[in-house]
Amino acid sequence: EKNSASSLTEIPGLAFKNNEGRAVFNNQRFVNNLDELGRVDYSLLNLKKYHKIGYSYGGKAVLSRNLTTAPIMATRGCPYACYFCSSPTYTGRKFRAFSSARIVEMVTYLVEKFKVKELQFLDDNFTINYERAMEICEGIEPFHLRITFPNAIRADLPKDPEKRLKL
């Protein structure tokens, strides 16, 4: 049967109610090497319209600038156990990241094809690997983008305050 409970149990990460009305949560399968994933098809999002209808973590200040904004995720997973955060439920506890070269390539694509002027990193831990974070920042610096990290930086990473200032 196409939609039988037994066929639904074979779909990783799916949550559904079985025939008895009980919630079933299938184990998730995470990709370890994010560079193996295909490129996000931003053409499916009308970025200008998306911005106009209120997509932005920066509130009215960002909307008033009328910048073409794009969301981007450079990492997945979080090894921390903050009591208020649900992210590990969705992205796992193992930290995984796109290579810095891949992120720079994605940003270059967004700027050239969609004229993006602002990036919003939606990661949980963009700065968990300082060297990688700096490679990305240095690689996209020539674009002079407005960059926001609505929830992508832990206040305690990197540990060295001098390194935090450089980001």
Side-chain angles (χ1 to χ4, degrees):
E1 236 178 88
K2 189 176 180 181
N3 291 323
S4 72
S6 63
S7 66
L8 295 176
T9 60
E10 297 171 16
I11 302 171
L14 182 69
F16 66 98
K17 284 188 178 182
N18 65 14
N19 295 335
E20 291 83 41
R22 288 199 178 121
V24 176
F25 302 94
N26 296 345
N27 289 331
Q28 296 169 317
R29 218 177 353 191
F30 296 114
V31 174
N32 287 319
N33 180 357
L34 298 184
D35 284 347
E36 293 175 356
L37 297 174
R39 182 189 297 172
V40 172
D41 189 353
Y42 285 93
S43 70
L44 297 174
L45 285 174
N46 180 332
L47 292 175
K48 289 198 183 295
K49 184 176 181 181
Y50 205 47
H51 183 77
K52 283 182 184 175
I53 63 172
Y55 168 79
S56 176
Y57 287 98
K60 289 183 180 180
V62 171
L63 291 174
S64 68
R65 283 195 283 275
N66 201 24
L67 301 175
T68 301
T69 304
I72 190 167
M73 285 191 79
T75 65
R76 307 284 192 282
C78 181
Y80 300 101
C82 302
Y83 72 92
F84 57 82
C85 185
S86 63
S87 288
T89 303
Y90 304 104
T91 63
R93 290 220 179 270
K94 181 180 178 187
F95 179 77
R96 302 163 331 273
F98 283 100
S99 66
S100 55
R102 177 72 185 276
I103 295 300
V104 171
E105 180 267 320
M106 285 184 208
V107 171
T108 301
Y109 169 75
L110 286 166
V111 169
E112 292 176 355
K113 179 145 176 100
F114 300 102
K115 309 300 182 224
V116 165
K117 300 290 184 196
E118 177 181 344
L119 285 178
Q120 294 185 336
F121 280 91
L122 304 179
D123 306 43
D124 290 313
N125 291 298
F126 182 81
T127 57
I128 202 166
N129 178 329
Y130 174 76
E131 288 74 22
R132 186 183 149 282
M134 287 304 296
E135 286 173 6
I136 292 170
C137 291
E138 290 167 1
I140 64 177
E141 185 178 22
F143 297 119
H144 305 286
L145 300 169
R146 181 178 190 279
I147 298 174
T148 58
F149 298 92
N151 56 322
I153 296 179
R154 285 182 57 95
D156 60 346
L157 291 176
K159 297 287 184 195
D160 180 346
E162 291 298 315
K163 287 183 176 180
R164 271 188 243 154
L165 291 173
K166 289 180 183 177
L167 284 171

